Amino acid sequence: PSNPTPRASQMAPFRAFAQAAADGDKTMIVSHSQVQTFTYANTAETADDLMQHVGVAPQAIQQDGLGTLSLYRKAELGGFAVWGATGADGDAHLEHLRYIGEWLDDLPVDRAEPAPAGPLSIANFETGEAPFDYSPLYSGSNVGIAAATADRVLNDAHTGAASQHIAVIKQAQAPAWMLRHTSGGAFPSNNTPLPSAGWIGFWLKTDAEGVSVQIGLDDPDSADLSTLKPVSADGRWRLYQWRLDDPSQWQAWVDGDGVITGPLTTIDAIFLHGDRDAAVYLDDVVVTPGATPLGLPGDADGDARVDLLDFDALAQHFNAVTGLGPARGDFNGDGAVDLLDFDILAQNFGAPGSSPATIPQPTALAGVGMAGALVARRRG
């Protein structure tokens, strides 16, 4: 007859792992047959040892298992489980190996796709215009537009060789216009699922005055709009972005609540507004799942350089804690404008192509609360 007592020295690492699983720190599933052994403990007896060690008793069941297996007992505690199967011959024993892939499907582990480590590109127009390949006149929500086109061009781009050129002609009698430039026709099934935290943004370039922009998201049975941002008319590429998990940057739209919650979030459209004819270039629609905003650290105005204009943006909002973003000096995305953001600006001041200049000293922020911040830090 077999020795039903497994050797403690051989079981020690298995007992330790089983205990960690029972405590919820690991996952361990033991399946066994009823095959007898004659010079060592069999699989049922080693499973008994593990259950005794973690303090769980098996429950009798009658349940069909995978393949030809029939389960006669089961025990569970935390992330530890034992599945006992009938069958006392070699083929029944091997059945556990034949179906190991399906056993693994039942493991109680998180199988969600990991969030991308870096920015997720939604559109860069290098090989086509998808998902912004629907006519800009497709949406019935457009207002005050006589004509509009959206075409991929190769003569200008934020990165690479291509971007999309959007031209809008205002109706003569209309005081202003609004263009809903849909992503995938505004059908969630045509769009890339996005995280509900992090940042979403894109680069625009125009010399037209009076243009503003926002983005609409489906979330998934409702829709929300970002806050409206003015578009600089200096003819340079600039970044416009919103933090997905900051409710102050979103507003309710169609059945929405102004909060991006997921679990399935997709882009509905980019909304452009204006009061005269305008031509706008669009490029690099990007989502980053982390807390750090897109673009050059310290670049508040999105002009791809860090200079006194960015320092001014930080100074104007120093010590603020609501409605923030990189445009207001919150360069690390922690929801506050403080010395940490000043450090980011200082480390990147003059980058990458701005004229050499001397970074203002922190004392220059005293008028907006820097002195109080310094005192608070020293006391803390």
Side-chain angles (χ1 to χ4, degrees):
S2 66
N3 181 354
T5 305
R7 291 182 180 177
S9 60
Q10 295 177 337
M11 292 298 298
F14 298 99
R15 291 172 178 173
F17 199 96
Q19 188 63 62
D23 293 340
D25 297 327
K26 304 287 185 181
T27 297
M28 183 180 190
I29 294 181
V30 179
S31 71
H32 70 80
S33 68
Q34 293 180 312
V35 171
Q36 293 297 311
T37 56
F38 299 97
T39 59
Y40 53 87
N42 60 42
T43 55
E45 291 161 346
T46 54
D48 289 340
D49 180 273
L50 295 176
M51 288 188 288
Q52 182 179 4
H53 180 76
V54 302
V56 64
Q59 301 296 315
I61 61 172
Q62 290 184 345
Q63 178 181 328
D64 290 337
L66 300 170
T68 62
L69 297 175
S70 295
L71 301 180
Y72 74 94
R73 68 174 184 171
K74 193 170 187 177
E76 292 182 325
L77 180 62
F80 173 76
V82 170
W83 296 336
T86 59
D89 59 19
D91 193 67
H93 195 66
L94 290 174
E95 201 80 334
H96 294 259
L97 297 178
R98 294 191 184 106
Y99 289 90
I100 193 170
E102 294 184 50
W103 286 101
L104 291 174
D105 287 341
D106 287 341
L107 285 175
V109 296
D110 183 4
R111 300 185 183 279
E113 290 294 326
L120 171 66
S121 176
I122 304 301
N124 60 20
F125 306 104
E126 292 303 298
T127 59
E129 295 179 272
F132 295 96
D133 50 357
Y134 278 66
S135 166
L137 298 176
Y138 170 79
S139 172
S141 302
N142 292 335
V143 176
I145 295 176
T149 58
D151 300 298
R152 178 173 175 265
V153 294
L154 298 174
N155 61 339
D156 205 342
H158 169 250
T159 60
S163 66
Q164 190 176 59
H165 179 263
I166 303 168
V168 179
I169 298 177
K170 183 179 74 70
Q171 291 178 351
Q173 70 276 20
W177 55 267
M178 186 276 289
L179 175 69
R180 181 187 178 196
H181 187 25
T182 65
S183 177
F187 295 104
S189 59
N190 290 344
N191 285 282
T192 301
L194 310 175
S196 56
W199 293 81
I200 186 167
F202 43 81
W203 277 258
L204 297 177
K205 173 182 172 181
T206 187
D207 56 8
E209 299 284 348
V211 176
S212 56
V213 68
Q214 60 190 154
I215 190 168
L217 301 181
D218 290 312
D219 188 34
D221 298 322
S222 61
D224 298 287
L225 281 174
S226 72
T227 53
L228 196 64
K229 293 180 180 288
V231 178
S232 176
D234 61 1
R236 294 165 56 185
W237 286 105
R238 291 183 179 269
L239 173 63
Y240 302 88
Q241 61 182 334
W242 296 264
R243 183 163 179 165
L244 292 162
D245 48 343
D246 180 0
S248 69
Q249 300 186 37
W250 300 93
Q251 54 189 294
W253 184 27
V254 180
D255 296 325
D257 56 5
V259 179
I260 308 303
T261 55
L264 178 63
T265 301
T266 55
I267 299 177
D268 177 275
I270 291 175
F271 291 79
L272 292 168
H273 305 255
D275 58 7
R276 67 202 73 181
D277 296 351
V280 179
Y281 290 88
L282 167 68
D283 202 3
D284 289 331
V285 182
V286 179
V287 173
T288 180
T292 303
L294 301 170
L296 179 66
D299 179 18
D301 58 9
D303 66 351
R305 64 185 66 195
V306 180
D307 51 26
L308 288 174
L309 295 176
D310 306 301
F311 177 82
D312 289 344
L314 183 147
Q316 291 171 18
H317 299 93
F318 198 79
N319 278 342
V321 293
T322 59
L324 298 174
R328 297 186 177 186
D330 181 17
F331 301 129
N332 62 0
D334 67 354
V337 178
D338 51 25
L339 284 175
L340 297 176
D341 302 295
F342 177 83
D343 288 343
I344 293 173
L345 184 142
Q347 291 169 15
N348 294 278
F349 200 78
S354 51
S355 301
T358 302
I359 177 67
Q361 294 300 309
T363 52
L365 294 171
V368 289
M370 175 65 81
L374 288 171
V375 170
R377 284 175 177 271
R378 289 170 182 165
R379 290 178 179 173

